[in-house]
Amino acid sequence: MDADNGGRPGPENPPGPLQKQGERQERQPVNMTKPPSVHSGPSAPPAVAEGDIRASDADRDRVAEILREALAEGRLDPQEHAERIDTVYRAKTMGELEPVIRDLPAAGAGRAQPGPDAYAYGPRAPVPDQNLVAIFSASVRKGRWQAPARINAFALFGSVEIDLTEAVFPQQQVQINVTAVFGSVEIRVPENITLRSSGSGILGSFEIETHDAEDGNAPQILVNGYAVLGSVEARPKRGAWIRDLRDRVWEDHRALRHELREERRERHHQLRHDRQEWQERLRAARRERRDRFR
């Protein structure tokens, strides 16, 4: 070492091994990232896929409603509808429900409005007026029936119920004249018709939920009259629609085919039973003849 520079190697002296090691340590890059903590908690569980979510009763009912609409519109036949309904109520996850309605529109989205020829208006035998009277009693008209052009309802200390949700309209306009004196008259109509009113209440209630149908060819119902210390109420029944009359004919045709199948099945059973009885009588006659000659 050179004594003049305090024992440090001069330019003429090569650096020692300790100095080389110090220089290598100074040139190493410093890791600024924080090392993972040993005491960190468990990682969050992976998110559940949407198709693996458990289906609720409301989800199954929603899918069943879409299938019911598809059956009513003719998109599914009864056999396909029964098979898919069975799949719906056996499904446990949303992924099992989705394929059932993949080829169907959403509820109400694919509901086609009836065309100009959907309603069977035209010349035919007139339907007589319907008179409903309730005096200290009740009078009800509901189910499938032909709505006449004029319906007269009178309630005196009684109640009258008129349900047109399943009725067939031979004509476009139906007029309902109501009189409620210490009584009540309740009218229910489908959603896709026109409902208007020109009545009034005298110390009573005359409530008509007026509605204009989007289809100009839809039936029109006009409620006239008054309520004296009574009540008159008319409104659409939610979920009730007038189907195309041709769909009603198709339903009747299917019901007729079902009845014919049942009749053929019963006739077949009767013929088989008669044949078995005839064969039994024939065997009995043979045994009798055989015993006679013995």
Side-chain angles (χ1 to χ4, degrees):
M1 291 186 181
D2 191 357
D4 297 336
N5 55 9
R8 292 189 301 270
E12 299 164 350
N13 298 329
L18 295 177
Q19 187 176 2
K20 291 182 180 181
Q21 182 178 3
E23 292 176 358
R24 285 197 301 267
Q25 292 179 354
E26 292 176 359
R27 287 196 297 268
Q28 288 181 356
V30 179
N31 187 8
M32 302 298 293
T33 60
K34 183 179 180 181
S37 177
V38 178
H39 301 287
S40 60
S43 59
V48 180
E50 183 178 358
D52 296 333
I53 298 176
R54 303 285 291 191
S56 65
D57 291 339
D59 295 328
R60 297 186 185 92
D61 293 340
R62 176 181 57 83
V63 175
E65 177 67 18
I66 296 176
L67 294 177
R68 187 187 67 80
E69 290 291 338
L71 175 64
E73 295 168 359
R75 301 179 188 272
L76 297 176
D77 57 35
Q79 183 177 359
E80 292 176 333
H81 177 263
E83 293 175 355
R84 297 196 184 194
I85 282 292
D86 183 63
T87 303
V88 166
Y89 286 104
R90 284 191 292 105
K92 295 183 179 180
T93 63
M94 298 297 295
E96 297 176 7
L97 290 177
E98 195 275 334
V100 178
I101 56 174
R102 182 177 299 167
D103 55 346
L104 298 175
R111 179 182 291 167
Q113 296 293 336
D117 58 344
Y119 303 101
Y121 305 138
R124 61 179 64 197
V127 181
D129 295 349
Q130 183 82 40
N131 298 317
L132 300 174
V133 180
I135 301 176
F136 291 95
S137 62
S139 179
V140 180
R141 194 68 172 93
K142 62 192 303 184
R144 186 172 182 181
W145 57 296
Q146 288 192 352
R150 185 184 301 272
I151 301 175
N152 302 313
F154 176 76
L156 176 62
F157 290 99
S159 63
V160 175
E161 180 182 353
I162 303 174
D163 191 344
L164 296 169
T165 55
E166 298 182 12
V168 178
F169 294 82
Q171 63 283 323
Q172 185 176 13
Q173 294 184 353
V174 176
Q175 181 175 342
I176 303 178
N177 301 319
V178 297
T179 302
V181 181
F182 291 97
S184 63
V185 177
E186 183 179 357
I187 304 171
R188 291 291 178 266
V189 300
E191 285 187 284
N192 58 331
I193 70 165
T194 297
L195 179 62
R196 296 192 178 97
S197 169
S198 62
S200 59
I202 303 174
L203 298 179
S205 173
F206 199 96
E207 299 181 1
I208 308 297
E209 186 176 328
T210 58
H211 179 264
D212 289 332
E214 298 180 359
D215 183 12
N217 294 315
Q220 300 177 4
I221 296 179
L222 176 63
V223 181
N224 298 323
Y226 56 91
V228 180
L229 295 174
S231 65
V232 175
E233 179 184 1
R235 64 183 60 200
K237 186 176 181 180
R238 304 307 175 192
W241 281 65
I242 294 179
R243 302 296 179 187
D244 190 335
L245 296 182
R246 290 170 294 187
D247 294 339
R248 296 180 182 268
V249 174
W250 172 245
E251 291 177 2
D252 293 341
H253 180 63
R254 286 189 298 181
L256 179 60
R257 287 192 302 175
H258 179 70
E259 293 178 1
L260 292 176
R261 283 197 300 267
E262 291 296 329
E263 290 180 1
R264 285 197 299 267
R265 187 179 295 108
E266 292 179 0
R267 191 181 304 113
H268 177 71
H269 290 335
Q270 185 64 33
L271 289 175
R272 187 171 58 180
H273 182 265
D274 294 343
R275 185 176 59 182
Q276 290 176 354
E277 289 185 351
W278 178 78
Q279 290 176 352
E280 185 64 28
R281 289 196 301 267
L282 184 60
R283 284 193 294 267
R286 288 176 180 175
R287 285 194 300 267
E288 184 180 355
R289 286 197 303 268
R290 187 169 55 249
D291 295 339
R292 187 184 306 170
F293 286 107
R294 285 181 180 177

